[in-house]
Amino acid sequence: MQALIPVNLPQHSYEVAVAPGSLDQLGTWMQGTETRPLKLGKNVLLVSNSAVFQHYGTRTIDALEQAGFTVATCLLPDGEQHKTLETLTQIYDAALANHLERSSTFVALGGGIIGDMTGFAAATWLRGVNVVQVPTTLLAMVDAAIGGKTGVNHPHGKNLIGAFHQPRLVLIDPQVLQTLPVREFRAAIAEVIKYGVIWDADLFSQLEAAPQLDQLANLSADLLQAMLTHSCQAKAHIVSKDEKEAGLRAILNYGHTIGHAVESLTGYQVVNHGEAVAIGMVAAAEIAVALQLWQKADAQRQLTLLQNAHLPTRLPAGIDLDAILTSLQADKKVEAGQVRFVLPTQIGAAIVTDQVPTTVIRQVLEQMQAV
C-alpha cells in the first residue's frame, strides 16, 4: 500500500511518497532511481528534536549510513516558542562545524516546526542547499512538509520571516504516527477536514463515514492511507498550480486567518496549531453563512466533523476580541490593508475574498466566545 504523488513545478519538481515502513529505507529513497537520481551529495545534516530523535533517530541514521551517507545531527528544543531566528542559529552552527557544502542535504525529521526551520535554514545556508522532509506528525504529513513554505516566527506574528524552498523529496511513513501524542494527532485532523471542505468532497464524505476521528487507534489502515493520500494529492495539485501563493494556493489558508491570531495572542501555549485552525474554520464557516456564501447545513456538517475529532470550536476563554481584530492586520495575507479570508461556497470549493466587513467578523467572534 504505497502512493507516489508528484509535485510538478517548472524548476523544482519532486515526489511525495506515502509508504508504510519507508523510514528504514530513507537512504535508498534519497538516492532516487537509475532514471531519476536525486544527486543529493553524501553529507547530511539530520535536524530533529530530542523527543522525535529518541524514537526514530537511530533508525534514521542507520538507514542513511547504509546507503552511503555521512550523517551529522542537530537537535533543537521542542515547541512553537522556540521557532525563532535565535534557535535557527543552532542549525547554521552545526552546518558550519560539520563542513556542509552546497551539495549537502539537510534532512528534517519531525513535525511542522522542525520542517519549517530546517527548510528555512536550507534555503539560506550558502544561499541554498538541498532539503528532504521526513515528517513524523500527521499535521506535517498532510500540510507543512509539502509545498516549500519555510520560516520562523516573529514576536508579533507567526511565520513572518521565511522563504519558499522546495524539498527534493517528502517521505511519509504512516507507521511513525504510532508514537504521536493523541492531542497532536487529533489537532492534525483539522487540516485533513480542511482539504475536504475546500477541495475534496469525496474525502469529506469518507471522514463523515468514520465512527470516530479523535485518535489513530480508531482509524483503519485503509482510512489512514486514504486520508494521507487525498490530503497530499490536494496539497500537491494546488502547489503545482500556484507555487508561491499568487492565487489558488491561498485557499490552503482556510481557517488560518483567525487561527493564527488565536495562536499568537495566547502565546502559542493554550492551543496548538491544528486546534487554532479548527477554531478558525468554524469562524470562517460562520462568516460565509452570514455573507450568504455557504449553506448553514454545510457549516453544521463541518462543525460535526470537528466535534467528532474532539477539536475546539469556540474561542479560548479570556481572549480579547479587539486584540484579534488588531492582530488580523499583521497577517501575511493582508493586501492594501484589507484582510483576506478563505470562505467555503460548498463542500469541496472555496473562494478568497477581502470583502468581509469588520462588523461581521466581530459578530461571529462574539458568538464563538467561551461560555
Side-chain angles (χ1 to χ4, degrees), residues 9-319:
L9 298 168
Q11 296 179 317
H12 306 287
S13 293
Y14 55 97
E15 288 183 328
V16 179
V18 183
S22 58
L23 182 64
D24 293 316
Q25 285 79 47
L26 172 60
T28 302
W29 280 95
M30 284 176 55
Q31 288 174 328
T33 63
E34 286 188 16
T35 56
R36 194 166 179 264
L38 292 186
K39 300 179 181 178
L40 295 179
K42 289 301 181 183
N43 293 324
V44 167
L45 178 64
L46 178 64
V47 184
S48 190
N49 63 45
S50 57
V52 174
F53 194 83
Q54 180 180 1
H55 290 297
Y56 302 113
T58 300
R59 284 174 59 187
T60 304
I61 292 171
D62 287 348
L64 291 167
E65 290 181 343
Q66 287 169 13
F69 292 97
T70 300
V71 186
T73 59
C74 176
L75 300 185
L76 302 181
D78 192 17
E80 188 82 34
Q81 69 272 27
H82 298 295
K83 191 178 176 182
T84 64
L85 287 171
E86 182 179 7
T87 303
L88 197 71
T89 302
Q90 296 181 37
I91 305 179
Y92 297 139
D93 289 346
L96 183 63
N98 290 282
H99 309 292
L100 266 74
E101 303 170 349
R102 277 190 174 167
S103 62
S104 304
T105 301
F106 291 3
V107 174
L109 177 71
I113 295 170
I114 291 294
D116 281 4
M117 295 187 71
T118 306
F120 186 47
T124 48
W125 181 252
L126 303 179
R127 296 190 177 91
V129 298
N130 303 313
V131 64
V132 169
Q133 296 283 353
V134 186
T136 60
T137 68
L138 180 60
L139 184 59
M141 289 177 182
V142 301
D143 187 47
I146 306 168
K149 274 190 177 181
T150 72
V152 296
N153 298 333
H154 185 275
H156 296 295
K158 185 177 171 70
N159 293 331
L160 292 180
I161 306 163
F164 285 97
H165 190 62
Q166 299 295 341
R168 298 294 305 281
L169 169 72
V170 179
L171 188 67
I172 295 172
D173 183 349
Q175 293 178 0
V176 304
L177 294 175
Q178 293 170 4
T179 56
L180 186 67
V182 170
R183 184 184 180 190
E184 295 298 318
F185 180 86
R186 187 169 61 226
I189 295 294
E191 295 280 0
V192 178
I193 295 171
K194 175 193 79 174
Y195 288 119
V197 173
I198 67 170
W199 193 259
D200 191 332
D202 181 55
L203 172 61
F204 192 93
S205 297
Q206 290 188 55
L207 296 173
E208 284 187 306
Q212 284 185 294
L213 295 170
D214 61 323
Q215 54 185 304
L216 179 64
N218 293 328
L219 303 184
S220 68
D222 287 344
L223 177 58
L224 178 61
Q225 184 74 12
M227 286 168 49
L228 290 169
T229 302
H230 276 260
S231 298
C232 291
Q233 285 172 336
K235 181 73 179 278
H237 182 88
I238 292 168
V239 169
S240 295
K241 297 290 185 183
D242 179 17
E243 180 181 1
K244 296 188 176 179
E245 204 171 297
L248 176 66
R249 186 168 176 171
I251 69 170
L252 292 171
N253 292 309
Y254 178 54
H256 289 59
T257 304
I258 286 175
H260 279 171
V262 171
E263 275 187 283
S264 178
L265 291 170
T266 54
Y268 306 105
Q269 301 292 314
V270 177
V271 293
N272 61 29
H273 178 69
E275 291 165 346
V277 169
I279 294 167
M281 287 167 63
V282 174
E286 292 302 321
I287 290 170
V289 170
L291 297 179
Q292 299 184 325
L293 294 172
W294 208 27
Q295 298 295 318
K296 182 66 176 178
D298 286 337
Q300 182 59 50
R301 289 173 67 191
Q302 174 189 270
L303 182 65
T304 299
L305 267 187
L306 293 170
Q307 291 172 336
N308 194 23
H310 294 182
L311 286 161
T313 56
R314 289 186 175 274
L315 293 171
I319 194 166

